[in-house]
Amino acid sequence: MVEDDNRTSLIQHQDFNVKDSIEGEIDSEYFDDDGHPKRTGTVWTTSAHIITAVIGSGVLSLSWAIAQMGWIAGPFVMLLFSAVTLCTSLILADCYRTGDPHLGRRNYTFVDAVSSILGGVNVTFCGIVQYANLFGTAIGYTIAASQSMKAIKKSNCFDSSGKKNPCDISINPYMISFGVVQIFFSQIPDFDKIWWLSIVATIMAFTYSIIGIALGIIMISENGVFKGSLTGVSIGVVTKAEKVWGIFQALGDIAFAYSFSFILLEIQDTIKSPPSEVKTMKKSANISIAVTAIFYMLCGCIGYAAFGDTAPGNLLIGFGFYNPYKLIDIANAAIVIHLVGAYQVFAQPIFAFIEAEASKRWPQVDMDFKFPILGLSSYNINIFRIVWRTMFVIITTIIAMLIPFFNDVLGVMGAIGFWPLTVYFPVEMYISQKRIPKWSGRWICLQMLSVTCFIVSVIAMVGSIVNVLLDLNKYKPFSTNY
């Protein structure tokens, strides 16, 4: 059913384009070749979207991930993930248009591309994995933002009590507060309208990353030594099983930190042309992933050098709630603001998909009602959009309250989405688009990349699920002590 609907949607888009090009009804000053309002995205807004999506809360877990593997394997694995992400992003950008890279039919979403290029069961599989990953990421970001809000409150509590009060604070009120904010921002109609939010979020991402790096350098200076070891956390400090599960989960955390391919085409659909959307996206991907890789290496390695094998799951929380607590508060505030925007970058594709499917089945749900505002122009309200998006935010908030395990959730989400969305589908679509001969050298290399990443994803999934189960054994849902 999903496959049929997607194919029907694509055919309708194609028919619309042909009809309008014949009748000359499209005004090229205000509309693009597909009849949609003129896209306005540039290299910089596209880079902002990518950086907002990539440099998320996952950066805070990278020092912990390196601690599980040590100075040799940790940085190597991070560089490897960045190289794979860049490679697959560049080949995925070629899939935005089917056929001619300038005039071919547009694939508005990741699922549209899979439908038009691969078809079959791939469409259903892609849809399930993509939207499950987007949904899980929204949960993970709710947890991370709430932990940062709680950390701000706790540091101020410590300071005001002269560090005598243990300041046990529940995380639940902060999750609810974050959810209320997201209900408001979720009413932004579509992806193209959140460009300003992405730019603000990108600035915030750089802010807290730089603060984390600076605090790490200060701690290294105070310690007078680079901590850490070649192989990471030692067996004896942890059991052999815990060491293995820790490495497996670290792979999932790093995969999550680099994941954004599953919204690449949605971002690419905001780009204006000329130049071609493919050219702009490839340039943005090169800029964004290079910047991301540098920041990730700095945050991960400096954090590990500062804390060694005891590196915390959340780097900023590891610096404690003492001096310079105001600087840490600023960093945590930047995380919260960033995650407000990042949540929307990942949620908007889900909103668009559900609303498109609903309008096909029940056209009346797409109706807007004018709401007059005294002294201002009227505001258009879509009842279905308000109700369904509000329910989405409520559900993600409740699940976050049930499973508030930051590292574990990141690991599971990274493992679920990395192979199919970052590697398998981009590789298969690229092979199909470019008609790469089976068993040719390029075909073999691409398939080896896919198989290797599949094995890594399975390993990461096992480790992350085991750690979720272990944490659930010690946690009481909705506990006020978490």
Side-chain angles (χ1 to χ4, degrees):
M1 180 63 71
V2 173
E3 177 190 351
D4 292 340
D5 288 342
N6 281 323
R7 287 189 180 278
T8 301
S9 175
L10 289 169
I11 291 169
Q12 288 171 345
H13 283 309
Q14 187 179 36
D15 290 344
F16 179 73
N17 294 346
V18 172
K19 176 183 176 183
D20 281 345
S21 62
I22 292 173
E23 297 180 2
E25 293 179 358
I26 292 182
D27 185 341
S28 60
E29 184 179 353
Y30 300 104
F31 298 94
D32 280 326
D33 58 288
D34 58 347
H36 286 207
K38 258 314 190 188
R39 292 164 175 83
T40 58
T42 64
V43 168
W44 303 114
T45 61
T46 305
S47 298
H49 282 315
I50 295 173
I51 292 173
T52 298
V54 181
I55 302 185
S57 56
V59 68
L60 302 174
S61 69
L62 292 178
S63 57
W64 177 89
I66 291 179
Q68 308 312 303
M69 295 181 280
W71 277 119
I72 297 176
F76 174 77
V77 169
M78 286 179 60
L79 288 174
L80 194 61
F81 270 90
S82 65
V84 170
T85 302
L86 177 59
C87 175
T88 56
S89 296
L90 295 178
I91 64 177
L92 181 58
D94 285 321
C95 300
Y96 176 65
R97 288 184 183 266
T98 302
D100 189 287
H102 300 283
L103 301 173
R105 185 176 60 200
R106 296 173 187 263
N107 295 310
Y108 300 98
T109 67
F110 196 102
V111 176
D112 282 348
V114 172
S115 178
S116 64
I117 298 171
L118 300 178
V121 296
N122 288 293
V123 183
T124 303
F125 175 50
C126 174
I128 292 171
V129 175
Q130 181 188 13
Y131 293 116
N133 201 274
L134 292 170
F135 181 75
T137 301
I139 295 170
Y141 283 176
T142 301
I143 296 169
S146 304
Q147 286 183 336
S148 291
M149 287 188 278
K150 176 183 173 180
I152 294 171
K153 176 66 176 177
K154 196 166 185 176
S155 69
N156 284 282
C157 175
F158 271 135
D159 183 66
S160 62
S161 66
K163 303 179 181 62
K164 297 177 182 178
N165 189 336
C167 298
D168 291 328
I169 300 168
S170 171
I171 199 172
N172 292 335
Y174 302 102
M175 290 190 178
I176 294 171
S177 299
F178 186 78
V180 170
V181 172
Q182 288 303 335
I183 288 174
F184 173 76
F185 280 105
S186 291
Q187 303 312 313
I188 297 174
D190 55 53
F191 208 113
D192 196 40
K193 301 295 190 299
I194 65 169
W195 61 268
W196 61 272
L197 194 56
S198 285
I199 291 174
V200 172
T202 298
I203 294 170
M204 293 299 103
F206 284 130
T207 299
Y208 68 73
S209 297
I210 290 170
I211 290 174
I213 291 169
L215 290 174
I217 292 172
I218 292 171
M219 181 171 283
I220 293 170
S221 177
E222 290 177 350
N223 294 336
V225 65
F226 282 83
K227 293 187 176 181
S229 60
L230 295 180
T231 57
V233 178
S234 303
I235 296 174
V237 177
V238 296
T239 65
K240 288 183 179 180
E242 288 172 338
K243 172 72 173 178
V244 171
W245 300 136
I247 293 173
F248 286 2
Q249 184 184 326
L251 292 173
D253 283 4
I254 295 173
F256 177 87
Y258 277 104
S259 294
F260 87 99
S261 296
F262 46 90
I263 59 170
L264 183 144
L265 294 181
E266 282 84 344
I267 294 173
Q268 194 166 346
D269 191 46
T270 68
I271 297 173
K272 66 180 180 181
S273 64
S276 71
E277 302 90 356
V278 173
K279 183 177 181 180
T280 301
M281 174 51 78
K282 288 185 176 182
K283 186 174 182 180
S284 297
N286 277 299
I287 293 170
S288 305
I289 295 174
V291 170
T292 299
I294 292 170
F295 265 79
Y296 278 7
M297 290 297 291
L298 287 172
C299 286
C301 292
I302 290 176
Y304 184 45
F307 291 100
D309 293 345
T310 60
N314 185 320
L315 180 62
L316 289 176
I317 290 177
F319 290 112
F321 302 105
Y322 305 106
N323 293 326
Y325 78 94
K326 287 297 183 185
L327 187 60
I328 298 173
D329 284 353
I330 292 171
N332 278 309
I335 290 174
V336 175
I337 296 171
H338 170 257
L339 293 180
V340 168
Y343 184 106
Q344 287 302 312
V345 168
F346 285 92
Q348 284 290 338
I350 301 180
F351 297 158
F353 171 74
I354 295 296
E355 287 157 21
E357 292 299 310
S359 64
K360 289 176 190 175
R361 290 168 171 75
W362 309 287
Q364 62 272 21
V365 304
D366 204 27
M367 293 176 59
D368 287 343
F369 299 91
K370 291 189 179 296
F371 181 76
I373 301 176
L374 187 63
L376 300 171
S377 59
S378 60
Y379 180 77
N380 289 336
I381 293 178
N382 185 299
I383 302 300
F384 177 76
R385 181 192 299 154
I386 291 175
V387 173
W388 124 252
R389 294 189 181 194
T390 299
M391 290 303 301
F392 174 88
V393 174
I394 290 173
I395 291 169
T396 57
T397 303
I398 291 174
I399 295 175
M401 292 167 69
L402 284 169
I403 315 175
F405 312 127
F406 177 64
N407 268 29
D408 296 349
V409 171
L410 297 193
V412 171
M413 289 303 103
I416 288 175
F418 179 70
W419 174 70
L421 300 176
T422 302
V423 183
Y424 172 74
F425 285 119
V427 164
E428 292 301 314
M429 288 192 290
Y430 182 75
I431 289 172
S432 178
Q433 282 268 76
K434 300 299 182 181
R435 294 183 172 85
I436 298 174
K438 197 172 185 179
W439 303 114
S440 65
R442 190 156 50 148
W443 185 90
I444 291 172
C445 288
L446 289 169
Q447 294 299 341
M448 287 178 62
L449 171 66
S450 184
V451 170
T452 302
C453 291
F454 172 74
I455 294 170
V456 170
S457 285
V458 171
I459 289 172
M461 173 69 76
V462 171
S464 298
I465 290 176
V466 167
N467 281 307
V468 167
L469 295 176
L470 290 174
D471 283 340
L472 283 173
N473 286 333
K474 300 178 289 184
Y475 173 71
K476 184 181 294 185
F478 300 111
S479 170
T480 58
N481 296 320
Y482 186 80

